Amino acid sequence: TKNPEGSMTRVAQYGSKFMSEAKTRKLEKKKEEERNKRLEEKIRMNGDPLNQITRPTENEIKKSAYEEWQRQSKNQSYGIRSNMSIKEQRESLPVYQKRDELLRLVQQNDFLIVVGETGSGKTTQITQYLAEEGYSSKGVIACTQPRRVAATSVAKRVAQEVGCKVGEEVGYTIRFEDCTSNKTIIKYMTDGMLQREALVDPDLMKYSVIMLDEAHERTIATDVLFALLREAVIRRKGGLKLIVTSATLDSQKFSRYFENCPVFHIEGRTFPVKIFYTKEPELDYIQSSIETVIDVHTNNPPGDILVFLTGKEEIDTCCETLVEKMSLLRAEKPHVSELIVLPIYSSLPSEMQSRIFEPTPSGKRKVVLATNIAETSVTIDGIYYVIDPGYVKVNAYDPKLGMDSLIVQPISRAQADQRSGRAGRTGPGICYRLYTKNAYLNEMPANTVPEIQRQNLSYTILMLKAMGIDDVLGFNFMDRPKEQLILTALEELYILDALDENGVLTEFGKRMAFFPMEPLLSKTLIQSIEFKCSDEVITVIAMLSVPDIFYRPKEKRDEADRIKAKFHDYNGDHLTLLNVYNKWSDADNPRLWCQNNFIHEKSMRRAREVRRQLLKIFDNLDKRERQAESSVISCRGNWDLIRKAFVSGFFKNSAKRAATHDPDEGSYRTLVENTPVHIHPSSSLFRKHGVDYVIYHTLVLTNKEYMHCITKIDPKWLLMYAPRFFKTADSSQLSTKKKTEKLQPLFNRNDPKENWRLSKGRR
Ligand code: CDP
Ligand code: MG
């Protein structure tokens, strides 16, 4: 039934597009070569013109580089738009050729798997086709994304294509930010938000079609939604359709899980990508990434560069270093063209994010430094070079240690292939892998382990229990997590009082499930009402939810640290954050105040927004429980109460100063597993004396296991506020080593009897 003519014209269309691109590239290259030649000629004739004028000192260059970076990072759009009309752009996407076939399949099936290369138009187009086809008259069309950035940036793009403002016909919902209205018919949202909606309305009656996008990412929320939506679609008998889209080909498994539904392929347009490996393993991948960028920029033909790094800090430092190096280089060699340096990561303000999608001005080159978000969730046009150091930061949970930590680990081969594929979207490209071929073939795992098999599941299980799914061990996951991981989560919920001895959700647990956040945080929030300090705890938690309040520019690190120290509370970082928030909201000119105090203003405004959302949740909770008085209460300066509230949630994250304590090292041991952990140098408790017991917010493993956001506590509080977990040790029963500790975790996570007790209630 395929129309040979149709496919012919398609080839011709892409072919000619490619030809004309190749032509302009050749022309540009020729122009650049001529310019360089003229410049060299001039230098030969007259001597280097740069030697005749007074050259700026290295410091001056660095300073102007810093200013340049400031300018670049201040969201200055370079105001260039693609010369194709929106209609032309939409019609040039591979998915457009398959529009009718796709819609027919949606009409005929309740479940459909769609597989297609990144950039073929799945995310931005399919929702619009569905709306055009009339599905929006039966309900909202939703499309989930594992990442917030993807949800917001795609919503903006689609709103632009539709010709409306974001929040009107096209909107988005991410945690603590709802940009939709009753007009909204296409809604992009994080998978976590849809999971929460399923808690309130298991049949998701609002929706006519739900597209679970980026399914190959296998986030916990997407995995849970697989199971929940499968049931909802069957229950609604044709009233709800489910489309699962993925960039990889593991589609048979998906199809089997969804009642053997059809799999629809969209061929992307891809060009060959040449891959280079390093001969030896790289010791410092950041350093070599920077060198490779500069090398590509100075020696290779035009085309933008994409570099994969692991996180925000790394990306920011790399950006600064690159801008600085480029300024030095261009002062030496003025013929080197300008390099536009752009970061992209989840916590980047959305105005900044949109800049990466703007076409690069001619004669310049852009380099985008990205986290693995650019692997599949966002597509940047014009990338010809990919630099892949081969690492990714993941949140991993060790059920034996009972610890969550962010670790940087090698990527999988599937990820490496996705990354290199990014170079072949606009034309034949090059990927520089900063690892050896041997590492790729023999050291990297073939596929990434789904999150559900490696992360802490307590939030997910609380959610399932709140939906009335008691038998979590028998829940129909596509890939079942290890039983130990589920048992650990049940145990954690038990010690937090969310479950009773039989694994049944308690009243307290129901209240916890009301908050869209990790159980440790929701417990802290609810306890803060008892402690009469909820107003302050809400602020601290809002501050904890925004990344990086403090700004440490490379040039002024010492000054920034000195100013930051003014906010330090000697009882710890949670209170330091409260200090910052209070001072900021009291400031007459908050913007100036932020500048003077090296604080990110955007983060502060975001914290205020999160605070507002949390207040709303408290308000809803009060209404639901018919409380006459607001449960938002201020402790009026009695800040010990705040610390106590955090102990009642975070008691598991407690640590005691190590016997061999060295204040410079800040060495501690966790109370639960006796693991060595350290005070992070950014903490207000770093190098402080007399801090015997602490609780921490997170652990981050870099060269050491570091505690982040730490607060000093009184060990008595652990006994008082976590009686299910701690007891005073019976000294006659303890080894001499243990005797020095006095506190002993009550719960033995490795005792099968205890586990049995919790799992008993499952059927
Ligand atoms: O979902 P899939 O990877 O198949 O593609 P998409 O995200 O729908 O992207 C289709 C096109 O829209 C690409 O060429 C993107 O560059 C463009 N796009 C954009 O310009 N701005 C965005 N925020 C998202 C996509
Ligand atoms: Mg997509």
Side-chain angles (χ1 to χ4, degrees), residues 226-449:
F226 282 163
L228 296 178
L229 289 179
R230 191 172 167 275
E231 300 306 312
V233 167
I234 293 170
R235 276 196 305 265
R236 282 185 53 190
K237 296 195 179 74
L240 176 65
K241 304 229 173 228
L242 178 66
I243 302 175
V244 176
T245 63
S246 161
T248 52
L249 295 165
D250 200 9
S251 48
Q252 286 317 315
K253 183 172 170 184
F254 286 2
S255 165
R256 246 177 287 133
Y257 184 78
F258 292 106
E259 319 268 285
N260 294 317
C261 70
V263 178
F264 185 69
H265 289 268
I266 302 166
E267 293 84 31
R269 49 180 130 116
T270 47
F271 297 90
V273 175
K274 195 165 168 42
I275 291 173
F276 290 103
Y277 294 93
T278 54
K279 297 233 157 41
E280 300 289 325
E282 289 291 336
L283 289 176
D284 182 346
Y285 65 82
I286 307 219
Q287 177 70 16
S288 68
S289 300
I290 292 172
E291 280 163 11
T292 315
V293 169
I294 293 187
D295 187 45
V296 168
H297 183 55
T298 44
N299 297 314
N300 291 30
D304 296 335
I305 310 172
L306 174 62
V307 188
F308 286 98
L309 295 171
T310 70
K312 174 185 185 316
E313 288 79 36
E314 217 171 85
I315 290 176
D316 281 345
T317 352
C318 250
C319 282
E320 279 182 46
T321 317
L322 256 176
V323 171
E324 186 180 305
K325 287 220 150 128
M326 280 306 300
S327 304
L328 285 168
L329 185 75
R330 293 185 71 216
E332 289 283 324
K333 299 180 178 163
H335 61 272
V336 174
S337 66
E338 192 179 324
L339 183 67
I340 299 164
V341 181
L342 297 173
I344 175 89
Y345 42 80
S346 294
S347 58
L348 194 72
S350 55
E351 311 87 88
M352 284 281 303
Q353 287 164 13
S354 48
R355 291 180 62 214
I356 63 163
F357 298 111
E358 295 178 18
T360 313
S362 79
K364 296 184 185 180
R365 193 200 299 271
K366 123 180 129 190
V367 54
V368 179
L369 299 108
T371 56
N372 67 336
I373 182 170
E375 244 168 58
T376 59
S377 328
V378 303
T379 301
I380 309 157
D381 289 328
I383 300 289
Y384 280 76
Y385 305 99
V386 164
I387 298 170
D388 174 20
Y391 289 95
V392 65
K393 195 188 272 173
V394 296
N395 194 344
Y397 180 71
D398 184 338
K400 272 227 198 67
L401 286 180
M403 287 197 305
D404 250 329
S405 52
L406 276 174
I407 51 170
V408 171
Q409 66 176 36
I411 55 173
S412 66
R413 271 202 298 285
Q415 282 179 294
D417 295 341
Q418 275 296 336
R419 288 180 176 191
S420 57
R422 306 298 85 229
R425 285 200 58 246
T426 328
I430 301 178
C431 175
Y432 299 90
R433 291 186 171 160
L434 305 180
Y435 40 90
T436 62
K437 191 164 190 178
N438 183 51
Y440 173 76
L441 292 175
N442 301 317
E443 287 168 25
M444 282 181 178
N447 282 300
T448 318
V449 181

Side-chain angles (χ1 to χ4, degrees), residues 122-123 213-214 376-377:
K122 300 182 297 297
T123 312
D213 203 1
E214 304 283 314
T376 59
S377 328

Side-chain angles (χ1 to χ4, degrees), residues 703-749:
N703 51 341
K704 288 185 206 162
E705 196 87 55
Y706 278 116
M707 302 181 278
H708 272 243
C709 201
I710 312 161
T711 276
K712 181 175 152 182
I713 59 160
D714 181 335
K716 281 206 283 295
W717 297 347
L718 293 172
L719 297 169
M720 288 163 72
Y721 308 128
R724 275 191 179 178
F725 196 65
F726 288 105
K727 65 172 182 191
T728 332
D730 175 357
S731 51
S732 64
Q733 307 248 314
L734 286 177
S735 64
T736 23
K737 187 180 146 281
K738 282 263 167 163
K739 263 181 204 162
T740 54
E741 282 169 12
K742 291 195 203 82
L743 273 176
Q744 187 197 18
L746 182 61
F747 215 81
N748 182 355
R749 66 188 57 258

